[in-house]
Each structure stands twice: as structure tokens, then as C-alpha cells.
């Protein structure tokens, strides 16, 4: 068998693995709504239990892996501070606000707001790094704006509380992407270890907040099954598969696959939750997806060319489905 054919087949497997992960991440939104609406789970405690259990699974996996590799890692106080900040912003603030947004308004509406994350990250990089946007990026920005206008032209059930929570999650996700990039660029720990530790920190903060605000609820068997599936399959297992797919896919390819989540979430919400976006809504989703991809494609191409330690897997970038 020719080497070229083996390489092509491996690339196809990586693409299908990445698509499987995005389907799992997109289905999280439906499961979260079921947990919130049907099981009456309080949103902050729901997020705390999901990411707390997922962190336990990931930490166990990291411990087993590191026993085999036996690497010596050196981390300073500054790195630890940034790691704690990443956990608090990425999981406690972003995911807590996102679960509240999903509790207050339709999943597709919240998904569209969060899809602007790559656009804002690229804009922030342009301001802080004095990078002049390309024509393609300007075109992408226009498509995002037009798509958002079309999507919100109809009555989509958006609420004031839901939009405040969604925008909070959006801004926190943008901040987390900047902190996460800084932490991963230092190369002091593998990306999976950073994910597990920061997730555990964020889940602890969420649990502390939830106990004070919501108390500990009575959870049904179905509720625990939803939490366990989200934690083990849609978070721990999905992150592992995503890192595996990144061994073959370029950053641009993975970003393109990740952006399919906006459409997936809208379609799943339509089928399982009865949240029909309508013709303008579907067109708006398509334009936003195309626009976000155009805006971030150049940025991902630059990041893909940066050097990093051979043992460090690339950290999944922020995408429309940050409620992974």
C-alpha cells in the first residue's frame, strides 16, 4: 500500500473523529436543556457537577499517563496564578453564565451569541498586536454582522436575563482564550494536564457558589445519568478524542470542523426542543458560520506555525459550542 494512501486514510479518520466530537459537544446543549427543564436542576450546581466529575476522570487519566512518561515539570508561582485564573474564568464564570443563559432562553439563541467568540478574539489581537485586518477578515466580519441581524430579526425567545448571561459567557470565554493561549504557550505542562487542573479549579469554584446560592438539590436517577453522560462522554472522552484528531488535522481544519457546531446546535434544538429558527434564522446561522471561519482562518494559520514542545498537544480553541 502506498504511503500517500495511508496518510490520506489517517487524515480522513481524524476528520471523522473531530466531527464526532462536535456532535457530542452539540448534543450537550440538548442534554443541558433537558436537565434544566425536565429535571429541574439548578444551573450553577448542574455546571459544577458536570465539570467536577469530568475533572476527576481527566485527572485520573493524566496520572496514569504521566506515570508511564515520567516527565519532570517545573512551574513557578506566576504560572500557577495564571492556571488558577484560567480555571475561574473558563469554567466557573464562562460555564456558569452559559448554563444560566440556557436556563433563561432558547439554546440556538445562546449558541449564536457565543459563536462571536473567535471574532472578538481576533479583534482583541488586532488591537493589542496592531495587526491590520485582511480583506477576507473584513468580509467575514460583515457576514457575521449580517447573519446576526437576520437571525435576531424574528422572535426567538431571547430574554433580558438570558442575554446578559450569554454576553457574560461570551466575554469570559474571550478572556479565557487569551489566558489559555498564554498558559499553553509557556509549555510547562501538557495541554491535557492544563485542561484537567483548570477544570477542577473552576468546578470547585462553581460548587462553592452553587451551594451558597442554590443549595444542594435532590437529583433523580435520570438527572444523574444526564450529568454522568455529559461529564464522562461529552467532556472527558470528547476532549481526549479532540486532542487525538489534532495529531493529524491542521489548526485551520480543526477550526472549520469546530464551526459546524453552530448549525448542529440549531438543528438539534429544532428537532429535540422544538426551537425552529425559521428561514431567516437558518440563513443567519449559515452567514455567521461562514463569517466566523473567514475571520479566524488567518489567525489559526499563524498559530499553527508556532513552535511548541513535542509532548504538548494543541489546546482546543474556543468555538460556538463552548458548553462542551
Amino acid at each position: 500500500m502506498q504511503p500517500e494512501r495511508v496518510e490520506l486514510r489517517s487524515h480522513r479518520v481524524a476528520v471523522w473523529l473531530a466531527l464526532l466530537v462536535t456532535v457530542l459537544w452539540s448534543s450537550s446543549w440538548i442534554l443541558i436543556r433537558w436537565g434544566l427543564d425536565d429535571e429541574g436542576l439548578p444551573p450553577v450546581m448542574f455546571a459544577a457537577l458536570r465539570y467536577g466529575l469530568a475533572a476527576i476522570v481527566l485527572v485520573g487519566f493524566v496520572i496514569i499517563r504521566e506515570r508511564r512518561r515520567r516527565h519532570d515539570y517545573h512551574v513557578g508561582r506566576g504560572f500557577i496564578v495564571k492556571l488558577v485564573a484560567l480555571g475561574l474564568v473558563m469554567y466557573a464564570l464562562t460555564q456558569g453564565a452559559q448554563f444560566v443563559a440556557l436556563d433563561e432562553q432558547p439554546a440556538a439563541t445562546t449558541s449564536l451569541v457565543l459563536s462571536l467568540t473567535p471574532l472578538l478574539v481576533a479583534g482583541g489581537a488586532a488591537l493589542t498586536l496592531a495587526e491590520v485586518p485582511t480583506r477576507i477578515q473584513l468580509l467575514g466580519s460583515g457576514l457575521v454582522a449580517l447573519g446576526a441581524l437576520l437571525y435576531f430579526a424574528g422572535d426567538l425567545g431571547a430574554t433580558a436575563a438570558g442575554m446578559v448571561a450569554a454576553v457574560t459567557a461570551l466575554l469570559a470565554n474571550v478572556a479565557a482564550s487569551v489566558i489559555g493561549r498564554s498558559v499553553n504557550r509557556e509549555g510547562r505542562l501538557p495541554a491535557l494536564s492544563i485542561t484537567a487542573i483548570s477544570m477542577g479549579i473552576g468546578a470547585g469554584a462553581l460548587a462553592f457558589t452553587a451551594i451558597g446560592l442554590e443549595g444542594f438539590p435532590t437529583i433523580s436517577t435520570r438527572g444523574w445519568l444526564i450529568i454522568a453522560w455529559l461529564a464522562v462522554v461529552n467532556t472527558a472522552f470528547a476532549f481526549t478524542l479532540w486532542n487525538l484528531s489534532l495529531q493529524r488535522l491542521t489548526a485551520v481544519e480543526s477550526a472549520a470542523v469546530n464551526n459546524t457546531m453552530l448549525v448542529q446546535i440549531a438543528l438539534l434544538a429544532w428537532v429535540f426542543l422544538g426551537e425552529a429558527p425559521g428561514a431567516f434564522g437558518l440563513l443567519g446561522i449559515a452567514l455567521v458560520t461562514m463569517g466566523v471561519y473567514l475571520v479566524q482562518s488567518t489567525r489559526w494559520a499563524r498559530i499553527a506555525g508556532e513552535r511548541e514542545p513535542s509532548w504538548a498537544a494543541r489546546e482546543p480553541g474556543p468555538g460556538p459550542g463552548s458548553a462542551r
Side-chain angles (χ1 to χ4, degrees):
M1 184 175 292
Q2 297 179 353
E4 292 81 1
R5 182 172 294 275
V6 174
E7 179 66 25
L8 178 61
R9 181 173 298 177
S10 298
H11 184 271
R12 286 178 177 175
V13 170
V15 171
W16 283 110
L17 277 179
L19 283 172
L20 172 61
V21 172
T22 63
V23 171
L24 290 174
W25 282 341
S26 298
S27 69
S28 296
W29 293 67
I30 309 304
L31 292 172
I32 291 170
R33 284 299 301 273
W34 284 348
L36 293 170
D37 296 343
D38 298 344
E39 302 303 317
L41 295 174
V44 180
M45 180 60 74
F46 190 3
L49 291 173
R50 175 196 176 175
Y51 288 103
L53 181 56
I56 292 173
V57 174
L58 285 175
V59 168
F61 178 78
V62 168
I63 290 174
I64 294 174
R65 187 186 67 174
E66 293 305 318
R67 281 181 178 177
R68 297 175 181 175
R69 296 187 176 185
R70 296 182 179 180
H71 282 296
D72 292 326
Y73 303 112
H74 303 283
V75 296
R77 181 178 299 177
F79 181 82
I80 294 175
V81 170
K82 286 194 288 187
L83 192 59
V84 171
L86 178 62
L88 294 177
V89 176
M90 173 65 82
Y91 297 100
L93 186 55
T94 301
Q95 302 304 331
Q98 186 168 279
F99 272 64
V100 171
L102 287 171
D103 192 37
E104 295 288 340
Q105 65 186 15
T109 301
T110 301
S111 171
L112 184 74
V113 174
L114 294 177
S115 73
L116 300 177
T117 297
L119 175 62
L120 294 184
V121 171
L127 291 175
T128 57
L129 301 177
E131 297 175 349
V132 179
T134 65
R135 292 181 179 179
I136 293 179
Q137 288 175 321
L138 291 175
L139 174 62
S141 299
L143 289 177
V144 169
L146 178 59
L149 288 174
L150 287 174
Y151 189 89
F152 286 108
D155 182 12
L156 299 171
T159 65
M163 290 302 294
V164 168
V167 171
T168 299
L170 169 65
L171 297 178
N173 203 28
V174 172
S177 70
V178 176
I179 300 173
R181 190 187 308 175
S182 174
V183 169
N184 281 279
R185 277 183 175 177
E186 292 190 21
R188 297 181 183 273
L189 289 176
L192 190 60
S193 299
I194 292 173
T195 300
I197 296 170
S198 61
M199 187 181 293
I201 293 171
L206 278 171
F208 181 80
T209 304
I211 292 173
L213 295 177
E214 302 168 339
F216 199 90
T218 300
I219 303 176
S220 67
T221 301
R222 185 170 182 264
W224 279 115
L225 288 175
I226 291 175
I227 293 170
W229 182 274
L230 285 170
V232 177
V233 179
N234 287 24
T235 304
F237 177 67
F239 266 103
T240 303
L241 285 185
W242 185 256
N243 280 326
L244 181 62
S245 73
L246 290 180
Q247 294 177 3
R248 290 289 181 182
L249 299 183
T250 66
V252 175
E253 290 170 331
S254 63
V257 173
N258 202 2
N259 277 335
T260 65
M261 288 181 60
L262 182 62
V263 177
Q264 292 180 40
I265 292 169
L267 293 177
L268 288 173
W270 189 356
V271 173
F272 292 101
L273 302 177
E275 299 175 359
F280 282 107
L282 291 175
L283 179 58
I285 289 170
L287 290 177
V288 169
T289 301
M290 185 182 302
V292 169
Y293 173 71
L294 290 176
V295 169
Q296 70 176 357
S297 60
T298 303
R299 178 174 63 88
W300 281 120
R302 284 199 305 272
I303 295 175
E306 295 173 359
R307 298 183 61 185
E308 57 185 319
S310 60
W311 45 262
R314 279 176 288 172
E315 184 76 0
S322 56
R324 293 164 174 174

